[in-house]
Amino acid sequence: MSTAGKVIKCKAAVLWELKKPFSIEEVEVAPPKAHEVRIKMVATGICRSDDHVVSGNLLWPLPVILGHEAAGIVESVGEGVTSVKPGDKVIPLFNPQCGKCKVCKHPEGNVCLKSSLQQPQGTLLDGTSRFTCRGKPINHFIHTSTFCQYTVVDEMAVVKIDAASPLEKVCLIGCGFTTGYGSAVKVAKVTQGSTCAVFGLGGVGLSVIMGCKAAGASRIIGVDINKGKFAKAKEVGATECINPQDYNKPIEEVLKELSDGGVDFSFEVIGRLDTMLSALLCCQNSYGVSVIVGVPPDSQNLSMNPMLLLTGRIWKGGVFGGFKSKDSVPKLVADFMAKRFSLDPLITNVLPFEKINEGFELLRSGKR
């Protein structure tokens, strides 16, 4: 029996309070309004950005259904939707692309002016929520809210992908892989024969390494305090890995010694202010490029000496690897299907939805 036009009751992981576990609840998901799409979620990843909301490092209105790295199948569409239809395999886009604003029209811009990354907003574009639980409206999260069996997104925040693609793998193209890989090939524009340093060897850090390798870097140095991550980093392309705790000097000095005065490209993929500064300091002072990939703690500032930049260093950041989402996600899925890269190294555990809290514990322990 068709569910189109009807309220769907399903399970969701709701965050009611900061620093508390998710609560698996029955929620009501309203039908999509004009220019909206309702998606049956098939697979969702757990990302550190979701955990930043749980910990309070990333401010978001509560209660909320988190999750933003996923893939699913269109259940129904609202009036005026033309880019997808029921039955299409899709990836929701936490970094949407309206295609009409100043940023979307700029060749280098990718954080759409309608994005809630510009201004945290727990609703869809019309200012209302499609989720209800215990009689209360529940906030959406960055256009996606994938920790729910069904979600509703604005049309600008979803894109159709190859019908043959395995959703349990390509869901990673919805955030982690694309963010890391693009940070190397598109944001930093890593060059052939260069030396790179990657701070943080989680899923996004591994994706940065894959991007550096694809771009032709000759040395890729992984940096992490968890030595358990070194083998996987080397498997995807790191040429060596170091643990800052093994040295009695700042890690930037160690990296400068290893690279004859500084690396060509460095990437901070943790989200800590101290490692952001270390990543900047370790790159070559005349032409080094340092990219901030990790989400920094909310409302904290970093103090640095402008002389570090005056000599020629470039310090930059990027969301979603600098990619325009609607344009790039289908192409990246096609590249995956053509075996141009593998996503298997990024998948460490597969759990049923009901064990989402266990998944977050694995994330926090570094065992995922």
Side-chain angles (χ1 to χ4, degrees), residues 48-344:
R48 182 67 75 176
S49 302
D50 300 305
D51 197 40
H52 283 332
V53 178
V54 178
S55 66
N57 280 336
L58 181 61
L59 298 180
W60 203 268
L62 301 178
V64 63
I65 295 173
L66 297 175
H68 63 282
E69 178 183 74
I73 298 168
V74 174
E75 175 270 339
S76 61
V77 300
E79 183 186 342
V81 171
T82 58
S83 63
V84 297
K85 64 183 186 303
D88 283 348
K89 285 188 177 181
V90 294
I91 287 180
L93 307 170
F94 78 87
N95 188 35
Q97 185 181 347
C98 78
K100 298 172 184 174
C101 73
K102 184 178 181 180
V103 173
C104 286
K105 287 181 175 179
H106 191 284
E108 295 299 317
N110 80 321
V111 183
C112 174
L113 291 180
K114 290 185 178 178
S115 170
S116 58
L117 295 172
Q118 300 273 8
Q119 180 65 47
Q121 180 182 333
T123 65
L124 295 182
L125 278 179
D126 77 341
T128 63
S129 170
R130 301 293 163 270
F131 300 122
T132 307
C133 181
R134 303 184 197 172
K136 297 177 182 175
I138 305 295
N139 286 289
H140 291 249
F141 181 57
I142 50 177
H143 307 281
T144 47
S145 292
T146 63
F147 293 166
C148 189
Q149 291 174 323
Y150 287 84
T151 191
V152 178
V153 303
D154 293 296
E155 187 180 11
M156 68 172 188
V158 63
V159 69
K160 180 181 176 179
I161 58 170
D162 187 335
S165 57
L167 299 182
E168 74 281 2
K169 293 185 180 181
V170 298
C171 63
L172 297 172
I173 292 173
C175 179
F177 171 77
T178 308
T179 297
Y181 188 82
S183 293
V185 302
K186 190 162 175 60
V187 180
K189 296 181 171 62
V190 168
T191 53
Q192 188 88 22
S194 59
T195 296
C196 304
V198 181
F199 288 70
L201 302 177
V204 182
L206 294 177
S207 301
V208 172
I209 291 171
M210 291 162 73
C212 292
K213 183 180 179 183
S218 60
R219 272 185 93 188
I220 305 168
I221 306 167
V223 183
D224 204 297
I225 58 171
N226 183 348
K227 289 185 177 180
K229 296 184 177 182
F230 290 0
K232 184 72 72 75
K234 289 177 180 177
E235 179 190 326
V236 299
T239 53
E240 60 220 273
C241 294
I242 59 176
N243 181 346
Q245 294 174 339
D246 289 345
Y247 301 90
N248 56 9
K249 63 175 77 170
I251 192 63
E252 58 268 23
E253 291 182 21
V254 175
L255 286 161
K256 279 183 173 180
E257 289 172 9
L258 284 173
S259 59
D260 189 25
V263 300
D264 301 302
F265 300 94
S266 68
F267 302 86
E268 201 281 352
V269 204
I270 303 166
R272 291 175 57 97
L273 301 187
D274 55 348
T275 42
M276 288 176 186
L277 197 53
S278 292
L280 177 67
L281 288 164
C282 81
C283 70
Q284 213 284 333
N285 70 1
S286 185
Y287 52 78
V289 176
S290 186
V291 180
I292 293 173
V293 186
V295 177
D298 203 77
S299 305
Q300 289 191 26
N301 293 325
L302 183 56
S303 178
M304 52 80 69
N305 184 338
M307 279 300 294
L308 294 174
L309 303 181
L310 188 69
T311 55
R313 280 187 185 91
I314 295 172
W315 202 12
K316 61 197 301 193
V319 169
F320 202 54
F323 286 113
K324 290 182 184 289
S325 56
K326 279 216 176 204
D327 294 345
S328 302
V329 165
K331 293 175 185 173
L332 287 166
V333 171
D335 284 349
F336 168 76
M337 297 299 284
K339 295 184 167 54
R340 293 200 174 100
F341 57 83
S342 172
L343 294 170
D344 288 346

Side-chain angles (χ1 to χ4, degrees), residues 344-362:
D344 288 346
L346 307 182
I347 302 170
T348 50
N349 295 276
V350 179
L351 298 169
F353 180 53
E354 291 76 11
K355 291 190 175 181
I356 188 167
N357 286 309
E358 192 178 311
F360 271 83
E361 285 308 313
L362 287 167

